[in-house]
Amino acid sequence: DHKAMGITARGAWEAVKRHFREIGKDVQSEEFTVIGVGDMSGDVFGNGMLLSRKIRLLAAFDHRDIFIDPNPKDCEKSWIERKRLFDTPRTSWQDYDKKLISKGGGVFSRSAKSIDIGPEIAALTGIDKPSVTPTELMSALLKSQCELLWFGGIGNYIKARSENNADVGDKANDAIRIDGEDVRAAVVGEGANLGVTQKGRIAFARHGGRINTDAIDNSAGVDTSDHEVNIKILLGDVIRAGALKADKRDKLLESMTDEVGALVLADNYDQTGCISIAQASAAADLDSHERFIQRLEASGKLSRRVEGLPLTGEFAGLRAAQQGLTRPELAKLVAYAKIDLFDALVASKTPDDPAFAEALKTYFPKELWKFEPQMATHRLRREIIGTKLADDLVNRCGPSFVDRVREVARADAVTIACAFEAARRIFDLEALVERVNALDNKAPAAAQTALHQRIGGALRRSTIYLARNAGFDGEQPPTILEVVERYRAPVDVQRATLMADLSDIERERVAVRHKSLLDLGAPEDLAHEAALLAPLTLSLDVADLARRTNWPVIEASQLHCVVGAQFGLDALRDAVNLLK
């Protein structure tokens, strides 16, 4: 359990790292300031405060004490002391070595009647009184300027100005609680549950803060539990089949903890990345986000009042202000999009497609791959595959992707998911995604986001085409691997000669996209490949033309480009792509 809670903290920390990468800071190599709620004996707070040796912990409080170190002297020595407290059972902030605390700081009991405020604490908190109550001090700390506000303890500490304390339902912290509009931290990490109300998150985000939701920041914990359950079911089947002795099970489980953690953190990484990509185009996507919400609400799957999503009039206000949804709101849409697609997939035959045998295997740690026969009969096999496919589609293409493709292709969600899976395999887009992700802290985050947007655009265009033309919605639909086999070779042939075959207008568009990516800081090779994705997706059309007419692919591609240029179809398609 202690290790599992460590994975939960690491998941929340991955979300924090993404926020800072997008700000332009590497929190593993650059010092940054933190104020927190919790103590080092707490699993989430304690693990979190050890995940970087560059933390300058200015202050923290729990249910017993208030710790303040206004100007930390040495990050490394502070980290070592926090590690000592974490490794020692039943410690509190009172056990912190006072010699390491900077001038004016200290550890103060929450049971004290008042706490004297020296110039150092005054500078940190903005308090202009000689003494305050512990409650006043904690409230001031929550409003103090810092780079990260880290929640690891139980309780709600931030609401929106439009809410009152009775709306929150956490009476014990009414006197401490502040408004999201008053938070001066750059980033909020919710390692705890419901440290901030949803309206408080939105208020903070509207004022420039970076925050997800507690469900996103804590998703690693839920994901770890899912893996644990599914692994135990698999091992139960393996033991019954005689492929593993029962007394070897627990040791095997323990040995896989780190690898399960890596699998979980990879899921967490992709999910927070999805929100960042959605945020980058949130204003432009506002209409599609509203239509997605309306569909879910009409089908009884969502209540926007319960989830804190904008009402119709509020959407009109956002549209007039040319604003999109905030990260906390987009996080809700991502969750609902995945649930909605999962339901459709599990109710279909798609999880039984042979294409997903490898996805099922790689869900489990490598130590279990030798038990592939038992994986094939795992009683939650279809649910694992459905979850993985829904996650991948929404992570790569955004929460309203299925609805947008449905409106254009007139296909159902299951057909769209099959077309998506075929498309990313045909164009080998997962390999491209991995190369873009490898640019973390090596290229600007804006360049990574733009590259991901290019990949998402290619997936949208190719998914629309395959949803219409691959036959997934027919009476005898092909398997995903059959569709991949039909298109992959012709696409590869065209990829090799694409630049030479492009019309002048298409070549100019590629040059513009290429330059824009380079200007953002993308590497030359990735900028070139991403700029070519838009015309490359047309190779699906050429592949079908060549197959139906028995023309060689290269000649069909050349003729396709000539006809497109002569009839102005390239210019027309370019204009259509600018429509919302």
Side-chain angles (χ1 to χ4, degrees), residues 358-370:
E358 185 68 15
L360 176 65
K361 185 173 79 170
T362 56
Y363 170 86
F364 293 98
K366 290 179 182 177
E367 184 68 26
L368 301 181
W369 289 7
K370 59 191 172 187

Side-chain angles (χ1 to χ4, degrees), residues 495-557:
R495 192 196 298 264
T497 62
L498 186 60
M499 275 301 289
D501 292 343
L502 290 180
S503 65
D504 289 341
I505 189 169
E506 283 285 9
R507 197 173 287 112
E508 180 185 344
R509 293 291 179 264
V510 168
V512 169
R513 288 190 288 268
H514 183 227
K515 183 179 184 302
S516 69
L517 290 168
L518 288 178
D519 289 346
L520 288 171
E524 166 65 34
D525 58 338
L526 282 172
H528 178 71
E529 287 184 55
L532 282 171
L533 284 176
L536 182 61
T537 55
L538 297 175
S539 58
L540 296 173
D541 202 346
V542 173
D544 279 337
L545 287 168
R547 182 169 51 83
R548 287 198 296 267
T549 59
N550 292 319
W551 269 51
V553 172
I554 289 293
E555 284 81 350
S557 177

Side-chain angles (χ1 to χ4, degrees), residues 36-48:
V37 178
D39 64 84
M40 291 309 299
S41 65
D43 282 320
V44 174
F45 185 91
N47 275 291

Side-chain angles (χ1 to χ4, degrees), residues 38-353:
D39 64 84
M40 291 309 299
S41 65
D43 282 320
V44 174
F45 185 91
N47 275 291
M49 290 298 96
L50 295 176
L51 289 173
S52 171
R53 302 177 92 103
K54 298 298 181 180
I55 290 172
R56 298 182 71 238
L57 184 61
L58 304 180
F61 62 84
D62 65 358
H63 61 287
R64 298 164 295 189
D65 303 300
I66 305 169
F67 165 86
I68 301 181
D69 187 3
N71 297 289
K73 304 168 187 175
D74 187 317
C75 282
E76 182 63 18
K77 287 182 179 178
S78 297
W79 185 91
I80 292 170
E81 178 62 4
R82 291 198 301 273
K83 181 75 163 59
R84 183 185 70 81
L85 295 184
F86 182 74
D87 291 337
T88 305
R90 295 181 294 279
T91 58
S92 73
W93 286 119
Q94 292 290 350
D95 299 304
Y96 195 93
D97 186 350
K98 309 302 189 294
K99 294 192 294 292
L100 296 176
I101 298 177
S102 58
K103 183 182 177 182
V107 179
F108 311 96
S109 173
R110 285 185 60 168
S111 62
K113 289 186 177 180
S114 66
I115 296 171
D116 292 337
I117 301 299
E120 292 81 11
I121 294 181
L124 172 65
T125 62
I127 294 173
D128 58 1
K129 297 191 291 187
S131 65
V132 294
T133 65
T135 297
E136 290 174 315
L137 179 55
M138 288 183 287
S139 186
L141 287 172
L142 292 173
K143 290 186 278 192
S144 297
Q145 191 161 357
C146 63
E147 290 172 278
L148 171 64
L149 186 56
W150 175 256
F151 287 105
I154 297 170
N156 179 278
Y157 297 95
I158 301 174
K159 64 177 184 62
R161 197 164 291 152
S162 61
E163 296 177 290
N164 57 51
N165 285 325
D167 296 327
V168 178
D170 177 22
K171 193 170 180 60
N173 290 302
D174 283 355
I176 303 172
R177 191 173 301 114
I178 66 169
D179 295 334
E181 293 89 340
D182 296 328
V183 176
R184 291 193 293 160
V187 173
V188 171
E190 283 193 80
N193 290 321
L194 204 63
V196 189
T197 68
Q198 179 67 356
K199 287 184 178 179
R201 295 182 191 115
I202 295 168
F204 173 61
R206 288 282 175 216
H207 281 71
R210 300 192 64 85
I211 187 172
N212 297 313
T213 63
D214 55 349
I216 294 294
D217 285 0
N218 284 307
S219 64
V222 178
D223 199 351
T224 301
S225 297
D226 286 348
H227 274 79
E228 181 185 4
V229 169
N230 289 323
I231 288 170
K232 286 179 177 177
I233 291 172
L234 174 63
L235 291 181
D237 293 342
V238 169
I239 291 168
R240 281 189 289 275
L244 178 72
K245 292 183 178 179
D247 60 357
K248 302 287 186 183
R249 190 198 81 145
D250 289 352
K251 188 174 181 180
L252 178 61
L253 281 171
E254 186 177 357
S255 72
M256 294 184 293
T257 301
D258 289 341
E259 190 177 353
V260 168
L263 292 169
V264 165
L265 292 177
D267 293 341
N268 182 275
Y269 177 95
D270 286 340
Q271 183 161 256
T272 56
C274 165
I275 299 170
S276 291
I277 296 165
Q279 186 182 19
S281 59
D285 294 338
L286 188 66
D287 290 350
S288 65
H289 289 157
E290 183 176 20
R291 290 197 302 276
F292 174 57
I293 289 170
Q294 287 171 339
R295 181 181 68 78
L296 288 180
E297 198 168 39
S299 62
K301 294 185 176 181
L302 176 146
S303 167
R304 60 176 97 188
R305 290 187 183 277
V306 170
E307 297 298 348
L309 294 166
L311 303 177
T312 302
E314 292 168 321
F315 266 108
L318 291 173
R319 198 168 287 112
Q322 296 184 318
Q323 293 181 331
L325 298 179
T326 61
R327 282 187 75 93
E329 292 165 310
L330 292 168
K332 294 283 187 179
L333 294 199
V334 166
Y336 272 96
K338 291 180 177 181
I339 293 168
D340 190 47
L341 181 55
F342 168 83
D343 290 344
L345 289 171
V346 172
S348 74
K349 296 179 180 178
T350 297
D352 303 317
D353 192 292

Side-chain angles (χ1 to χ4, degrees), residues 446-493:
Q448 288 179 283
T449 298
L451 289 166
H452 280 303
Q453 287 176 317
R454 288 291 166 200
I455 294 169
L459 279 167
R460 182 169 64 251
R461 287 185 291 273
S462 51
T463 297
I464 288 171
Y465 185 87
L466 293 173
R468 285 172 165 167
N469 297 287
F472 286 120
D473 56 351
E475 290 185 8
Q476 292 183 311
T479 67
I480 290 169
L481 295 179
E482 287 171 343
V483 172
V484 173
E485 185 179 5
R486 184 193 312 168
Y487 288 102
R488 178 137 195 187
V491 166
D492 288 342
V493 168

Side-chain angles (χ1 to χ4, degrees), residues 6 20 34 70 187 261 407 414 430 482 517:
F20 278 105
V34 181
V187 173
E407 291 170 350
V414 173
E430 283 302 308
E482 287 171 343
L517 290 168

